[in-house]
Amino acid sequence: MENCIFCKIVHGQIPNFTVYQDEHTLPFLDIHPVTKGHTVVIPKVHAETLLDLNGEITKEFFLGVQHALERVEKILSPDGFSIGWNHGRAGGQAVPHLHVHIIPRSEGDGGGSMHSIIKKPSDVSVEELAKLFA
Ligand code: AMP
Ligand code: ZN
């Protein structure tokens, strides 16, 4: 993808601070870290979201996420992590190339959990909703 900033990083056209890399995955330090060691992990192939990634590559990609996590854990030994990704514009995704955020956390750092991202409960009950998945 010509104009994709993360593809440019994969192809060495934009520099990055690499945390670990393998055939399918490139984790690098986020340029605007929200905590020390904030890392983004990308598949080397362009895919806008997880739904666009080939299943076989997905397996390799998440292995790469695990390896990146091990590396950050070993080097920085934080108390915990928030790990996840923004999916689609409504989900907060600014760069349209799939990336998993690894955010080191420390006790009492004042940050929230996944549950603090949004509070907008469904207007139908969980039981009612479950029928759609039955
Ligand atoms: P998102 O909002 O989930 O799309 O996050 C995109 C992330 O990529 C942000 O945290 C940015 O700080 C980060 N980012 C953008 N450009 C670069 C870059 N050239 N090198 C490292 N991180 C970047
Ligand atoms: Zn890309």
Side-chain angles (χ1 to χ4, degrees), residues 4 7 46 97:
C4 173
C7 282
H46 182 84
H97 179 131

Side-chain angles (χ1 to χ4, degrees), residues 1 4-8 45-47 96-97:
M1 280 288 287
C4 173
I5 182 172
F6 284 175
C7 282
K8 285 183 178 168
V45 67
H46 182 84
H97 179 131

Side-chain angles (χ1 to χ4, degrees), residues 10-88:
V10 170
H11 295 116
Q13 294 159 337
I14 294 177
N16 75 92
F17 298 105
T18 304
V19 162
Y20 155 88
Q21 78 170 301
D22 59 34
E23 187 185 347
H24 298 285
T25 314
L26 177 62
F28 50 88
L29 295 177
D30 195 294
I31 203 84
H32 299 299
V34 294
T35 65
K36 183 172 87 176
H38 180 181
T39 297
V40 284
V41 190
I42 65 172
K44 287 186 173 176
V45 67
H46 182 84
E48 188 162 335
T49 76
L50 185 61
L51 297 176
D52 304 308
L53 197 62
N54 166 291
E56 285 306 310
I57 304 284
T58 299
K59 290 183 199 164
E60 300 295 335
F61 175 57
F62 276 95
L63 259 182
V65 172
Q66 186 183 42
H67 288 141
L69 178 60
E70 285 166 354
R71 190 138 171 78
V72 179
E73 164 73 18
K74 188 168 175 211
I75 291 174
L76 297 175
S77 304
D79 297 329
F81 290 95
S82 291
I83 300 167
W85 63 97
N86 299 319
H87 181 123

